[in-house]
Amino acid sequence: MIIPASYTSKLNLRETQEAIKLLKDFFERVLAQQLNLTRVSAPLIVPHNSGLQDNLNGVERPILFDVPAVDAHCEIVHSLAKWKRWALKKYNFGVGEGLYTDMNAIRRDEVLDNLHSVYVDQWDWERVMRPEDRNRDFLYSIVENIYACLKKTEREIHRAYPMLEWELPDAITFITTQELEDLYPHLDPKRREDAILKDKKAVFITQVGGTLASGARHDGRAPDYDDWNLNGDILVWHPSLQQALELSSMGIRVDPEALRRQLKLAGCEHYAEYEFHRALLAGELPQTIGGGIGQSRLCMYFLEKAHIGEVQASAWPKQMIETCRENNIFLL
């Protein structure tokens, strides 16, 4: 955990709660307008072995429990990366239309620090696209639309709370994971992100999940939702923590060809037996682009907080709570 020197929040606890409400309401509204999204309800649980669970890096354990009333086992979601694609088909969304939802999840195996909590809250969004839009230019155009929402939110927050001063650059920088490795060959992936963000302040790092020239991967990514050649993360620079802060993970979703390729690379070809994957391989699901935007991460950045626990209520080790309190970091 990082303790910034002489840290004091610019907003007290009540002001923080009011600012969270303003920020979330505003960003949600402009995101829906910018990407042509409709809000829908979403599940907290999915059936075990349905194939709808987001397996993240493949090692995180979902919370599994029995539900006697339906004679089945269910899991609390890690995210809704695959469920949203089902929903777009079920609700008959057309090309250029999409949905978003408040996604709440529990990730029990997270290592807790300033940025990570076992409780995850984000706006999950997904939009139908044309097959011919499976290209980098389309991906980048959507990233720029999301970045425009961030800039609008920044202006709104500064209007309401003039004491908040952090500013994003006018434009976001785009770089591939391979270009990043070539730029900083002697740094590990996390340090590379810190280095590029310290310089550029807002970056979209694309092509996450595949193997780099060094033989390593920049980061893990499940093989069955993002196309590893057409995905990425939006990161910003956090001045107090002096490190990169990921706000969003997103990408163009796998089509049948990309799914087969990535399942083989990941050694997960058995996934093809799940209902979701069978439907995708059969061409029954729409081509989509989508992602998640961290609600607490967004609040943490725009409200200039040093710990994610200052903008969300979760579970923390006793020692972390005490250390934070001693250093003017008050967890909710």
Side-chain angles (χ1 to χ4, degrees), residues 26-27 29-31 33-34 145-159 168 302:
F26 184 86
F27 181 81
R29 184 166 64 252
V30 296
L31 179 70
Q33 293 169 348
Q34 194 83 19
N145 282 332
I146 294 173
Y147 193 70
C149 296
L150 296 176
K151 289 295 291 180
K152 289 178 180 178
T153 303
E154 176 183 79
R155 289 192 292 270
E156 179 68 11
I157 291 300
H158 287 179
R159 181 197 62 78
L168 295 167
F302 283 120

Side-chain angles (χ1 to χ4, degrees), residues 96-109:
E97 300 176 331
L99 58 81
Y100 77 95
T101 186
D102 286 297
M103 193 286 300
N104 296 288
I106 303 295
R107 298 181 182 175
R108 64 195 290 188
D109 292 317

Side-chain angles (χ1 to χ4, degrees), residues 20 30 87 100 129 143 163 217 236 251 259 261 264 313 327:
I20 289 171
V30 296
Y100 77 95
M129 53 176 269
V143 172
M163 72 287 287
R217 293 198 299 174
V236 298
L259 178 61
R261 180 181 70 251
K264 184 175 182 179
N327 290 276

Side-chain angles (χ1 to χ4, degrees), residues 125-313:
W125 65 275
E126 198 85 7
R127 197 172 98 162
V128 181
M129 53 176 269
R130 304 175 303 169
E132 55 265 37
D133 287 329
R134 296 189 63 82
N135 57 70
R136 188 178 68 177
D137 288 344
F138 180 71
L139 171 65
Y140 285 10
S141 72
I142 297 297
V143 172
E144 288 173 337
N145 282 332
I146 294 173
Y147 193 70
C149 296
L150 296 176
K151 289 295 291 180
K152 289 178 180 178
T153 303
E154 176 183 79
R155 289 192 292 270
E156 179 68 11
I157 291 300
H158 287 179
R159 181 197 62 78
Y161 300 96
M163 72 287 287
L164 300 174
E165 302 171 327
W166 295 356
E167 289 190 10
L168 295 167
D170 292 336
I172 189 169
T173 297
F174 294 88
I175 191 168
T176 69
T177 52
Q178 187 57 62
E179 290 170 338
L180 196 59
E181 182 180 65
D182 294 342
L183 192 60
Y184 305 107
H186 303 301
L187 299 180
D188 63 40
K190 180 63 176 69
R191 300 285 81 78
R192 288 175 204 149
E193 291 182 355
D194 290 344
I196 191 71
L197 265 299
K198 186 175 184 179
D199 180 30
K200 301 298 185 181
K201 309 308 180 189
V203 180
F204 183 70
I205 300 176
T206 186
Q207 298 183 358
V208 179
T211 303
L212 301 172
S214 64
R217 293 198 299 174
H218 179 82
D219 198 1
R221 194 62 56 94
D224 53 355
Y225 55 96
D226 284 351
D227 185 324
W228 292 344
N229 294 316
L230 294 167
N231 68 355
D233 299 328
I234 297 174
L235 300 98
V236 298
W237 180 247
H238 192 292
S240 291
L241 300 180
Q242 287 289 292
Q243 67 178 83
L245 172 65
E246 180 187 317
L247 297 181
S248 175
S249 175
M250 58 172 288
I252 291 174
R253 306 310 196 184
V254 290
D255 60 5
E257 179 184 355
L259 178 61
R260 291 190 187 94
R261 180 181 70 251
Q262 292 180 182
L263 289 182
K264 184 175 182 179
L265 288 171
C268 298
E269 292 170 284
H270 63 284
Y271 283 13
E273 301 171 6
Y274 295 145
E275 182 181 2
F276 170 83
H277 300 75
R278 290 201 309 268
L280 201 160
L281 290 169
E284 297 173 1
L285 299 180
Q287 297 290 300
T288 66
I289 182 171
I293 302 170
Q295 295 187 9
S296 291
R297 292 281 184 93
L298 218 63
C299 292
M300 185 181 172
Y301 176 78
F302 283 120
L303 304 185
E304 301 182 11
K305 300 292 189 176
H307 195 290
I308 197 167
E310 294 180 90
V311 294
Q312 65 156 241

